[in-house]
Amino acid sequence: MNKEEILTRSRNENKDEGMSAAENKGRKIGSLVFCLVFIFITVFNLLNGQSNYAPAAMFWAFIAAESYPKYVFTKQKTYMVTTVAGAVASIASLGSFIITTLR
């Protein structure tokens, strides 16, 4: 395969590496901001006597969703455990949120 064939295939893929890099950087920044907002809401709720079930459900769902593709790609058991534990914690927190809200 010569240089021209490689360039032609790359152009035909319509995949912009610059855009992929920007999206990945955006995801990292988004994850950081999500965690900071989660911490703020959790501390705020603790100081005001509110429950943290709703933000905890979102946080654990986020952790599970982040870990699953990593497990699929690497097959590392750590990611599988994190995915399952995050999903269970998210469901438990969501259930607790619903129960306390409907009381």
Side-chain angles (χ1 to χ4, degrees), residues 42 55 75 81 92 98 102:
T42 301
K75 300 296 184 205
V81 170
I98 291 170
L102 295 178

Side-chain angles (χ1 to χ4, degrees), residues 11-82:
R11 287 184 193 121
N12 289 339
E13 286 181 2
N14 292 329
K15 185 176 181 182
D16 186 359
E17 290 181 14
M19 182 57 77
S20 294
E23 289 171 349
N24 287 335
K25 186 173 183 177
R27 281 188 199 97
K28 288 180 183 180
I29 293 170
S31 296
L32 175 65
V33 171
F34 178 83
C35 290
L36 291 173
V37 171
F38 168 75
I39 291 167
F40 173 80
I41 291 171
T42 301
V43 170
F44 183 82
N45 283 349
L46 286 172
L47 294 175
N48 289 299
Q50 300 292 318
S51 76
N52 279 311
Y53 295 129
M58 290 187 288
F59 176 77
W60 290 116
F62 173 77
I63 294 298
E66 280 281 315
S67 298
Y68 179 70
K70 292 176 185 177
Y71 168 70
V72 170
F73 183 73
T74 65
K75 300 296 184 205
Q76 289 184 6
K77 292 188 184 211
T78 305
Y79 291 127
M80 179 184 65
V81 170
T82 304

